Amino acid sequence: MESNQPNIEQFLSNSSFVKWVKEPDNVSNEFWNNWLLNNPDKKETFELAKNIIQNLAYKHQYHLDKQELDAMFESIKSTVAQNSDAEKQHAISIFTNNLKRFWWVAASVVIGITYSLQTEFAKERLMTSVLTMGNKQFYGANPGERIKVILPDGSIVTLQGGSSISYNSDFQDTIRKVELNGQAFFDVVKNPQKPFVVESKHLRTRVLGTSFSVNDSEKDAIGKVAVRTGKVSMSVVENHQSEILTPSKMGVWHETQKQIEVSTFDPKSELAWKDNILYFSKEDMPSVLSKIETWYGVKIIVDPALKLKGRYSGEFYDESLENVLTGIGFTSGFDFEIKGKEVKIVSNR
């Protein structure tokens, strides 16, 4: 399977990562430490990028002149000489394009890590699907994955699979506006002078600094906002109906009923997904299977002769699709077959 984790060049070109290494704070510490816990296989690349930023320093420390840079560039070409022409050209191109911005990459030749940089460049791609169109930046989570995005103000967005956000380049000028399609959890940096607004199909959610979840997709007839901390103003795009939500309160807009219903909510039911926990609470099987489809990015086909009855409760942390279906199938009376992105459910009796 092709990796979608960041390589070292992408760590070094990630402004949020660089800022965290140079000027860590509570928010960025939590994000990057959690990221590393969830991606232990990338620890070596992660620490190498961190050390480059910390220890190799920048132009004003090394006072690198053009002659030294040319020598380093020649060293890079020599180091990758044993590799294919395509690999050499790729490494040299990346070095050339980033030299002015990343002096520590040039300095890294001194400690002989250029070869490992080059091999990393060739085999991996970005962890998120990112697209820039005009002055708008788009981030999307593929079906079956959950990703975190650090916004320009330091706010952290956790995207559920199949969801996307976008924001303009003037994000921090007067108002911090994000457009959402799908489900996301927002941990917003407080800034009373610049409100934070999430616009989605049905809702407009406005805060100053708080943490909350929005679930509002183009394909759905309801929109939900659940507040973990702080205070949130939830308003409806269609009729401007609004509610103020406080911690442990959730507002649900029903397109058919044309009103917002406010209630308390089960934190695990609404927020566990952001911690990579697949959670079920007395849910019927159609709901269970629909949630599994979204979680793993698969299509589930149930044998028409199989009648799935009853309700299911349980939780799975970072489990494979096979393990989840095995556990649920044991208590619910079904077997399954996985072929690529398609799952067939049949009776085991």
Side-chain angles (χ1 to χ4, degrees):
M1 179 183 295
E2 185 181 7
S3 170
N4 66 349
Q5 299 294 331
N7 61 37
I8 193 166
E9 193 269 343
Q10 290 154 354
F11 274 125
L12 295 176
S13 62
N14 185 314
S15 60
S16 297
F17 180 82
V18 174
K19 183 178 179 181
W20 168 65
V21 174
K22 295 166 61 181
E23 301 171 4
D25 55 34
N26 291 337
V27 173
S28 58
N29 278 337
E30 179 183 7
F31 171 77
W32 288 109
N33 289 333
N34 285 338
W35 189 94
L36 188 57
L37 286 174
N38 291 326
N39 298 274
D41 58 316
K42 300 304 298 180
K43 183 176 181 179
E44 182 177 355
T45 304
F46 182 98
E47 294 296 341
L48 180 57
K50 185 177 175 182
N51 286 337
I52 290 173
I53 296 170
Q54 287 177 328
N55 300 327
L56 295 185
Y58 310 99
K59 180 182 179 183
H60 70 274
Q61 290 174 293
Y62 280 90
H63 301 291
L64 300 174
D65 58 27
K66 185 178 184 303
Q67 183 178 358
E68 290 170 311
L69 290 173
D70 288 344
M72 288 180 179
F73 184 65
E74 291 302 317
S75 178
I76 286 179
K77 290 193 290 186
S78 174
T79 302
V80 301
Q82 299 179 27
N83 295 286
S84 70
D85 290 341
E87 288 173 328
K88 288 190 290 184
Q89 186 59 42
H90 189 56
I92 293 168
S93 175
I94 288 176
F95 176 82
T96 303
N97 292 337
N98 290 297
L99 187 58
K100 293 181 180 178
R101 290 186 294 139
F102 301 111
W103 294 86
W104 54 91
V105 174
S108 68
V109 179
V110 176
I111 60 171
I113 65 171
T114 305
Y115 180 75
S116 65
L117 288 177
Q118 184 272 330
T119 54
E120 289 283 355
F121 291 157
K123 67 184 181 183
E124 295 179 337
R125 55 188 176 84
L126 285 170
M127 60 190 283
T128 60
S129 302
V130 184
L131 175 67
T132 300
M133 294 183 64
N135 68 337
K136 183 164 289 191
Q137 191 85 6
F138 295 83
Y139 291 83
N142 294 320
E145 72 174 359
R146 281 145 296 283
I147 64 170
K148 289 185 183 291
V149 177
I150 297 183
L151 299 178
D153 68 335
S155 296
I156 299 174
V157 183
T158 306
L159 279 176
Q160 177 63 289
S163 302
S164 63
I165 60 169
S166 63
Y167 59 86
N168 291 336
S169 57
D170 60 356
F171 176 78
Q172 295 192 77
D173 285 357
T174 57
I175 190 170
R176 298 172 288 169
K177 186 177 78 171
V178 173
E179 296 176 9
L180 167 70
N181 180 22
Q183 184 174 17
F185 181 83
F186 297 84
D187 198 344
V188 178
V189 172
K190 189 172 183 179
N191 187 341
Q193 283 72 47
K194 297 178 180 179
F196 190 100
V197 174
V198 179
E199 293 188 347
S200 49
K201 178 185 178 182
H202 301 100
L203 307 172
R204 193 172 195 266
T205 308
R206 181 184 176 98
V207 303
L208 296 178
T210 183
S211 58
F212 60 99
S213 173
V214 178
N215 189 356
D216 191 14
S217 174
E218 291 288 341
K219 68 180 186 298
D220 295 331
I222 67 170
K224 298 194 293 187
V225 177
V227 179
R228 187 179 70 173
T229 62
K231 185 183 294 186
V232 170
S233 171
M234 170 190 181
S235 61
V236 179
V237 173
E238 180 180 334
N239 62 11
H240 304 294
Q241 182 184 163
S242 65
E243 294 284 349
I244 300 296
L245 304 177
T246 53
S248 301
K249 295 292 185 181
M250 178 171 68
V252 181
W253 162 255
H254 298 268
E255 199 171 68
T256 53
Q257 299 175 17
K258 304 297 183 184
Q259 64 179 14
I260 298 174
E261 293 182 357
V262 178
S263 63
T264 57
F265 67 92
D266 175 7
K268 275 196 171 182
S269 180
E270 295 299 326
L271 304 178
W273 67 269
K274 74 180 184 64
D275 297 315
N276 220 29
I277 298 173
L278 180 57
Y279 181 77
F280 306 100
S281 178
K282 300 178 181 178
E283 298 182 40
D284 61 27
M285 291 310 297
S287 174
V288 168
L289 297 181
S290 176
K291 190 175 287 187
I292 291 173
E293 284 184 320
T294 299
W295 192 264
Y296 292 101
V298 297
K299 175 66 176 177
I300 297 179
I301 301 172
V302 180
D303 183 346
L306 178 61
K307 305 302 180 183
L308 295 173
K309 299 180 180 179
R311 293 183 175 272
Y312 182 81
S313 296
E315 61 181 83
F316 300 87
Y317 174 72
D318 202 23
E319 285 287 357
S320 67
L321 172 62
E322 182 176 4
N323 287 347
V324 170
L325 290 173
T326 298
I328 298 175
F330 179 79
T331 60
S332 302
F334 66 76
D335 279 333
F336 61 91
E337 181 182 9
I338 302 174
K339 287 187 175 181
K341 290 292 185 179
E342 185 175 281
V343 179
K344 292 184 178 179
I345 303 290
V346 296
S347 175
N348 65 359
R349 296 188 176 97

